[in-house]
Amino acid sequence: MKKIILFLLMLLVISPCQATCFFLCMSILPIRAQIDTLNIQHLKGVTVSGQYIQQAADHYNCIPTSKQRKHSHSGYELVRSMMIPGVDVDTESGKVSTPAGAATLYINGREATFREIQSLRTKDVVRVEYYDMPTGKYAKDLAVLNYVVKQFKSGGYTQLDALQGLGYKCGDYNITSKYSFGNSNANLWAGYSNANPKEDMVSKEDYLLPDAVAKGSSSSGNDKENIGKYITASISNMTPKRTWMLRASIEASKQWDNIMNGKTEYASEYGNLAFDKTQYSRSSTVKPTLYAYFQKQIGSNHNFDAVLDCYYADNKYNRDFLEGGRFVSDVDEDYFYGKFNANYSIALPKSNNLTFSLHEYMRVSQDSYGGSADYWQHLHSSETIFFVDYNKRWKKVMLDFNPGLSYLVYRLHGDDAVKHVAPRLQLSSSWMPDKLQRVRLFFSLGNTFPSLNTVNNVSQQIDRIMIRRGNPDMDNSTLLGPGFTYSLNYKQISAMLSCYYMYMSNAIVNTYSVEGGNIINTFSSDARSHQTSTSLSVTWKPSASFNVKMDGNFTYARVTMADEEQQRGWQMGLQANYYVRDFSFSASCKSLTRSLNNYQYHIRQPWQYGLSAEWSHNNLAVVLEAKNLFIQDNVLKRSLSAEIYNLSEQFRRERDNSYVSLKLICSIDYGKKVSRSLKYETKNADSTIMR
């Protein structure tokens, strides 16, 4: 076993700088071998005793320690502090990534929003279930985190939290109030946020027209302001046999993308043209939402749950661009989105389980384009997916068979309906030779469809040379790929080794062609994508007060046919947490990252590191966080190369350089202590506007 652990650690290659910092921390901090002890708990037939992560056939039962609960003030912070191997959490954006892809988040088996997870009272979280092999009602997801939270019968609380950024304009302020009476809960949320991390930009574009043109641009202090407001109310009821919830809200947001001090120069064999460049760009949304959830336990072996989630969005987009000429785009959009999901599960004899799942997604939009593109569009789309999931468990082996069928139809006004029928399939198996190890093999076959903001007949003049044009005739994409994971939990060490391959037919890429004196930028579904990744994540927990997590990842991406691209790159990460009484201290860093975005754009993200300190006592907490201290020259680079068009950009963004944030959390409990309310998330509305 020791040889296996040493081998896994050797696979995780860390830089000399990281190694030096790591061993320096080890020499300073007092460490004694210890495992957090837990009372024996029975979790769905799995007995957890002694270790904070216990493996099951299709998931991990992860129990947070008292220190992790005390010094975490959201569901995201809690999972980050727990350092689950293979799970990476961005607490600012609310993104949870795993080797299989983005994780879907649940609370007590109900799919939750980011804000709901962000506001969980961590002391009420019993455990976090990490499904890296989702089955049953979770089979539609790539990975799942389910927070199992205590329920209370009476009392209430009101909480205020405020985050203020220092270094650039950034603030997030929220108030939440909850009252529980019997099996019911009433909730009220309200919030306001405002951020403007300005950026400087330098770009070079080559237009390979019959008379080649090179364009150089620069700008500084560009506005990237984002304002959000929301108010939400909900009522819910939970009994051992039934749960329901109703929620309604009104949300509003505005985003600016302004260029105030820009310069542009066009160079050709006929001479140079220099212009001042300015841009006023604003998008806004007003969005009422409605959400309903119902779950019922039928007998001892049957369970039914259903979700209805819908909203209407009044979207507006305005762009006024000056660069030796004026290019204007004004779009008003009425957008409706509706999602319905129903699951019926049956527990069969001899550890067999059968689940039927129905998913319906409907989108209707009406867009009125003005400015340089005078166009009216009505689009209706509907996707229906039906799954059957069957899994069989033995003492050491589990098999899961999950076939499905997807039916997609969308129609632009004036065009014939486009229809796609595609099969879906997931095959998974896991083998646990002992309580410490697990091997998983799986294969998936799925499909996806073009983003609806590219499926149109709109043609917009972007600048003096570029015209962007939609393409309503693109094919459905098929995805397939195998995967392998090996996980180990041995004393103070937990590790996960993952290997994935994914092939996609009809990947959507940008294409460029010449039309007169212009470059036409449109979209094509004729590309093929191949992506391979190998990752190793290791957590070392020598004591309850000190935890370390190390991650290493290698990716290789290749695109063929409509475009020819390839990108390979390594990424390393290190995180360390130290707890002492009412204080906690954390340090983290991520190496330079190279990736291929949207199958074409080569992205180079700079090194990042962060430090944080927190004081937490009873219902009051203060968190001070610093990112990239003393760094002012971090630059994000983006490039694209095509036969007749090349792009190279550099962005110096304030959020990638040195800044500090201070957060205060204060709550008042009244009556008996209750589970903290699920804080509502203001989620961006979809849109079919081509920008």
Side-chain angles (χ1 to χ4, degrees):
M1 183 59 66
K2 292 182 179 180
K3 292 182 179 179
I4 294 176
I5 296 172
L6 291 173
F7 173 71
L8 291 174
L9 290 172
M10 291 175 63
L11 289 176
L12 182 62
V13 180
I14 61 175
S15 67
C17 179
Q18 289 173 318
T20 302
C21 294
F22 174 72
F23 286 109
L24 182 60
C25 292
M26 297 299 100
S27 64
I28 294 175
L29 296 173
I31 298 172
R32 57 189 177 88
Q34 172 183 328
I35 301 175
D36 293 321
T37 58
L38 303 167
N39 294 328
I40 296 178
Q41 302 181 42
H42 296 281
L43 309 176
K44 294 187 177 180
V46 178
T47 300
V48 178
S49 178
Q51 293 183 320
Y52 82 108
I53 294 182
Q54 181 74 23
Q55 296 187 115
D58 61 345
H59 70 282
Y60 301 88
N61 288 303
C62 309
I63 293 86
T65 67
S66 59
K67 291 181 172 63
Q68 291 167 350
R69 287 189 175 98
K70 179 177 180 178
H71 294 285
S72 300
H73 305 285
S74 74
Y76 296 112
E77 293 177 4
L78 181 63
V79 170
R80 190 174 188 272
S81 298
M82 291 172 69
M83 296 183 177
I84 303 171
V87 178
D88 185 57
V89 183
D90 185 335
T91 57
E92 290 185 15
S93 65
K95 294 181 179 178
V96 181
S97 57
T98 72
T104 306
L105 309 173
Y106 290 77
I107 296 174
N108 290 338
R110 177 184 63 83
E111 188 171 345
T113 65
F114 289 162
R115 284 284 186 180
E116 287 181 299
I117 302 299
Q118 187 180 15
S119 64
L120 278 176
R121 175 174 282 181
T122 54
K123 66 182 180 181
D124 294 334
V125 177
V126 178
R127 66 184 183 275
V128 178
E129 299 171 343
Y130 168 40
Y131 289 83
D132 65 330
M133 184 178 172
T135 60
K137 63 179 290 183
Y138 302 139
K140 68 178 179 64
D141 303 311
L142 298 174
V144 166
L145 286 178
N146 179 42
Y147 294 79
V148 180
V149 180
K150 299 175 185 176
Q151 300 297 318
F152 295 87
K153 298 286 187 179
S154 64
Y157 82 95
T158 297
Q159 175 175 291
L160 296 171
D161 65 81
L163 181 146
Q164 184 63 52
L166 307 174
Y168 70 87
K169 184 178 180 180
C170 177
D172 187 10
Y173 318 99
N174 302 277
I175 181 170
T176 304
S177 188
K178 173 179 178 177
Y179 188 76
S180 297
F181 46 98
N183 293 321
S184 299
N185 297 283
N187 303 270
L188 181 67
W189 304 267
Y192 172 83
S193 62
N194 190 347
N196 188 4
K198 294 180 181 292
E199 70 176 29
D200 304 330
M201 186 270 289
V202 177
S203 71
K204 181 181 179 182
E205 297 172 84
D206 295 318
Y207 303 97
L208 304 181
L209 297 162
D211 299 321
V213 177
K215 175 185 175 181
S217 298
S218 64
S219 59
S220 60
N222 301 337
D223 282 335
K224 295 289 182 180
E225 189 160 8
N226 190 321
I227 297 175
K229 309 171 188 176
Y230 70 90
I231 183 168
T232 307
S234 77
I235 186 168
S236 60
N237 181 276
M238 175 179 287
T239 68
K241 294 291 185 179
R242 185 199 63 211
T243 300
W244 60 263
M245 180 178 185
L246 293 175
R247 184 179 67 215
S249 69
I250 182 74
E251 305 167 17
S253 64
K254 293 181 180 179
Q255 297 85 36
W256 282 263
D257 186 4
N258 297 336
I259 299 173
M260 311 304 295
N261 304 296
K263 301 288 184 182
T264 299
E265 183 174 1
Y266 288 86
S268 68
E269 59 180 318
Y270 301 105
N272 297 349
L273 295 173
F275 304 100
D276 290 331
K277 179 175 70 171
T278 61
Q279 174 178 288
Y280 171 78
S281 178
R282 187 180 77 172
S283 58
S284 63
T285 297
V286 177
K287 186 179 72 169
T289 71
L290 178 65
Y291 173 91
Y293 172 78
F294 178 78
Q295 178 269 335
K296 184 174 177 59
Q297 184 73 31
I298 306 171
S300 59
N301 297 322
H302 299 253
N303 186 78
F304 172 80
D305 67 88
V307 173
L308 175 65
D309 189 4
C310 57
Y311 65 79
Y312 162 78
D314 180 12
N315 296 319
K316 298 183 184 298
Y317 174 67
N318 309 100
R319 179 179 183 264
D320 193 344
F321 183 66
L322 295 175
E323 187 186 72
R326 188 178 183 187
F327 308 95
V328 179
S329 176
D330 291 320
V331 188
D332 289 336
E333 178 183 46
D334 294 308
Y335 187 92
F336 174 80
Y337 169 84
K339 177 183 78 172
F340 175 75
N341 167 228
N343 303 284
Y344 187 79
S345 302
I346 306 172
L348 302 173
K350 298 182 179 180
S351 300
N352 296 332
N353 292 277
L354 184 64
T355 302
F356 301 92
S357 298
L358 176 67
H359 305 269
E360 173 64 30
Y361 303 90
M362 185 172 67
R363 300 169 178 88
V364 180
S365 70
Q366 181 172 290
D367 301 341
S368 297
Y369 286 79
S372 57
D374 188 9
Y375 180 74
W376 179 87
Q377 169 184 289
H378 181 84
L379 174 66
H380 177 276
S381 78
S382 172
E383 184 181 23
T384 304
I385 305 173
F386 180 72
F387 282 114
V388 177
D389 183 79
Y390 172 78
N391 66 75
K392 170 68 176 178
R393 302 171 189 246
W394 292 272
K395 186 175 181 180
K396 294 184 177 182
V397 177
M398 190 188 85
L399 297 177
D400 186 75
F401 177 59
N402 180 226
L405 190 67
S406 169
Y407 175 68
L408 169 70
V409 56
Y410 61 87
R411 182 177 180 272
L412 281 171
H413 180 78
D415 293 347
D416 294 333
V418 178
K419 301 177 182 179
H420 295 289
V421 178
R424 292 195 173 192
L425 176 65
Q426 291 188 125
L427 297 173
S428 301
S429 66
S430 67
W431 172 52
M432 296 181 63
D434 51 45
K435 295 181 179 180
L436 305 178
Q437 303 177 82
R438 194 186 74 182
V439 178
R440 179 196 172 201
L441 297 171
F442 66 94
F443 172 83
S444 62
L445 170 67
N447 71 298
T448 186
F449 56 90
S451 174
L452 296 181
N453 66 338
T454 64
V455 180
N456 53 53
N457 293 304
V458 182
S459 184
Q460 291 191 88
Q461 185 89 30
I462 301 302
D463 56 24
R464 294 170 60 87
I465 296 177
M466 183 76 72
I467 295 175
R468 185 163 296 144
R469 186 175 294 166
N471 179 5
D473 301 315
M474 290 189 285
D475 291 329
N476 194 35
S477 300
T478 299
L479 302 90
L480 60 88
F484 161 84
T485 63
Y486 170 75
S487 57
L488 170 71
N489 286 288
Y490 180 69
K491 294 184 177 180
Q492 299 95 354
I493 292 180
S494 298
M496 175 178 284
L497 174 67
S498 304
C499 299
Y500 284 80
Y501 168 76
M502 181 61 70
Y503 166 79
M504 175 186 283
S505 69
N506 302 323
I508 308 299
V509 295
N510 289 268
T511 62
Y512 301 89
S513 60
V514 177
E515 187 176 288
N518 296 108
I519 297 288
I520 305 299
N521 169 209
T522 187
F523 308 95
S524 170
S525 60
D526 295 333
R528 304 291 183 267
S529 170
H530 307 261
Q531 298 186 42
T532 304
S533 67
T534 301
S535 63
L536 176 64
S537 180
V538 179
T539 297
W540 181 36
K541 194 176 181 185
S543 75
S545 299
F546 183 70
N547 311 310
V548 178
K549 183 169 181 262
M550 297 171 285
D551 297 285
N553 181 51
F554 175 78
T555 59
Y556 174 74
R558 184 186 177 195
V559 179
T560 60
M561 295 186 70
D563 194 20
E564 295 289 336
E565 300 288 348
Q566 60 177 340
Q567 176 71 67
R568 57 174 57 87
W570 286 91
Q571 178 178 334
M572 305 295 175
L574 178 66
Q575 177 190 347
N577 291 346
Y578 181 64
Y579 306 97
V580 52
R581 297 178 182 173
D582 288 339
F583 294 90
S584 70
F585 304 92
S586 178
S588 64
C589 68
K590 286 188 177 181
S591 67
L592 180 148
T593 304
R594 291 182 173 87
S595 59
L596 191 64
N597 191 25
N598 292 334
Y599 312 107
Q600 282 182 300
Y601 291 94
H602 293 262
I603 307 294
R604 179 187 180 275
Q605 293 179 306
W607 276 81
Q608 302 278 309
Y609 81 92
L611 302 169
S612 70
E614 178 196 329
W615 175 82
S616 179
H617 186 75
N618 294 333
N619 288 345
L620 182 64
V622 181
V623 183
L624 179 65
E625 188 171 14
K627 293 291 185 70
N628 305 311
L629 276 181
F630 313 114
I631 295 178
Q632 295 297 331
D633 298 319
N634 264 346
V635 173
L636 183 144
K637 297 181 179 180
R638 188 175 81 137
S639 63
L640 179 148
S641 180
E643 291 184 2
I644 61 171
Y645 175 70
N646 296 320
L647 169 69
S648 177
E649 295 177 309
Q650 293 187 15
F651 300 92
R652 184 197 170 277
R653 308 184 300 181
E654 288 185 331
R655 68 169 65 250
D656 292 333
N657 288 277
S658 181
Y659 74 92
V660 176
S661 66
L662 180 66
K663 186 174 183 179
L664 303 176
I665 305 104
C666 177
S667 64
I668 301 173
D669 294 338
Y670 39 90
K672 294 182 179 179
K673 293 185 178 181
V674 298
S675 173
R676 182 172 174 178
S677 174
L678 308 179
K679 188 175 178 182
Y680 188 69
E681 174 204 10
T682 57
K683 199 172 183 181
N684 290 336
D686 285 339
S687 174
T688 60
I689 297 173
M690 185 178 73
R691 309 183 182 189

